[in-house]
Amino acid sequence: AQKITQTQPGMFVQEKEAVTLDCTYDTSDPSYGLFWYKQPSSGEMIFLIYQGSYDQQNATEGRYSLNFQKARKSANLVISASQLGDSAMYFCAMREGWGQGAQKLVFGQGTRLTINP
Amino acid sequence: KAGVTQTPRYLIKTRGQQVTLSCSPISGHRSVSWYQQTPGQGLQFLFEYFSETQRNKGNFPGRFSGRQFSNSRSEMNVSTLELGDSALYLCASSSTPRGPNEKLFFGSGTQLSVL
């Protein structure tokens, strides 16, 4: 069963606009962590932001914020004031629990974001 | 602080050969995990090492193996290469594999092409 779903294969946004990248997840474990990574054409996976299942507030990291709606099982990434350098693939990922399974990340299929000047 | 270092950056091999990829984690990180990224299958977990012990393995054939050294550096080996092994192999490190809140930091990957 698909555990992480990113429904937007591609998005095109004008520079300086805000953009929301969608992510829904599926888990029965009450302890989990949600991550967003950026992958530019160079291939490196760059950590952007993290949200824990027990966190009371939505995570923020500079221009990145995570709209965490636990009941809906969604963890959307919001990028404010987009820049040309934000053009890249974006992946949502999840880690579950505290046992052996916690050592692996499960990734969505990704969203290719293109920022237009 | 230096990031995760993977070598080589690019590799071209032929079917039937074997290959070894190397990963040096962030200084002080003791957990190293490996992922395979292909256009068709996306990102898939290969295995994870902590303190020289493999703690978890993904759904890959036995041709894929790895090890971790006492300095936390890790190597991944693929024997009897197949065309389908062509992929970007990413290594990630974290301080300890304690639970779901442990952040993983990735390297730039090794792009393997099998001809």
Side-chain angles (χ1 to χ4, degrees):
Chain A
Q2 187 73 24
K3 291 202 169 187
I4 296 286
T5 303
Q6 295 180 252
T7 57
Q8 306 151 311
M11 285 194 69
F12 295 84
V13 173
Q14 285 299 117
E15 190 179 8
K16 299 181 184 176
E17 287 185 350
V19 57
T20 297
L21 304 182
D22 295 340
C23 172
T24 58
Y25 60 92
D26 183 30
T27 181
S28 57
D29 197 315
S31 297
Y32 55 89
L34 296 157
F35 302 78
W36 278 91
Y37 286 88
K38 171 185 177 182
Q39 188 177 43
S41 55
S42 61
E44 181 182 5
M45 296 285 281
I46 301 168
F47 168 77
L48 294 178
I49 196 166
Y50 161 80
Q51 181 84 44
S53 59
Y54 294 117
D55 291 345
Q56 296 295 312
Q57 296 190 339
N58 287 344
T60 59
E61 293 277 354
R63 294 187 299 113
Y64 305 106
S65 60
L66 203 152
N67 184 0
F68 182 46
Q69 298 190 42
K70 197 169 181 177
R72 294 186 176 184
K73 293 188 175 180
S74 76
N76 298 339
L77 176 70
V78 180
I79 306 174
S80 63
S82 57
Q83 302 170 356
L84 296 179
D86 293 334
S87 294
M89 281 290 287
Y90 287 79
F91 291 95
C92 180
M94 179 174 67
R95 295 179 89 178
E96 295 171 290
W98 290 85
Q100 291 287 101
Q103 285 124 34
K104 73 174 185 180
L105 275 175
V106 176
F107 286 87
Q109 288 299 105
T111 296
R112 181 168 297 280
L113 176 64
T114 302
I115 308 297
N116 295 316
Chain B
K1 207 177 200 181
V4 179
T5 304
Q6 290 189 247
T7 56
R9 184 72 179 91
Y10 300 95
L11 209 48
I12 299 175
K13 293 286 187 179
T14 56
R15 279 182 300 174
Q17 287 187 310
Q18 77 166 24
V19 66
T20 299
L21 313 181
S22 179
C23 172
S24 293
I26 292 171
S27 178
H29 283 192
R30 296 167 60 194
S31 173
V32 174
S33 51
W34 289 87
Y35 290 80
Q36 181 197 64
Q37 185 178 22
T38 60
Q41 298 298 317
L43 282 146
Q44 293 184 288
F45 172 79
L46 279 157
F47 30 63
E48 191 263 350
Y49 288 87
F50 178 72
S51 292
E52 302 177 63
T53 301
Q54 186 182 92
R55 291 170 58 90
N56 203 354
K57 191 177 192 308
N59 189 24
F60 279 83
R63 299 184 298 107
F64 292 81
S65 63
R67 59 178 175 169
Q68 186 180 33
F69 302 95
S70 58
N71 62 356
S72 295
R73 191 178 70 86
S74 177
E75 287 183 347
M76 184 192 124
N77 185 274
V78 188
S79 62
T80 319
L81 284 166
E82 300 177 0
L83 295 179
D85 297 333
S86 295
L88 179 66
Y89 290 88
L90 290 159
C91 168
S93 78
S94 63
S95 55
T96 60
R98 285 176 302 188
N101 57 332
E102 194 65 34
K103 300 178 182 66
L104 266 65
F105 297 91
F106 285 81
S108 298
T110 293
Q111 183 67 54
L112 172 64
S113 298
V114 182
L115 307 178

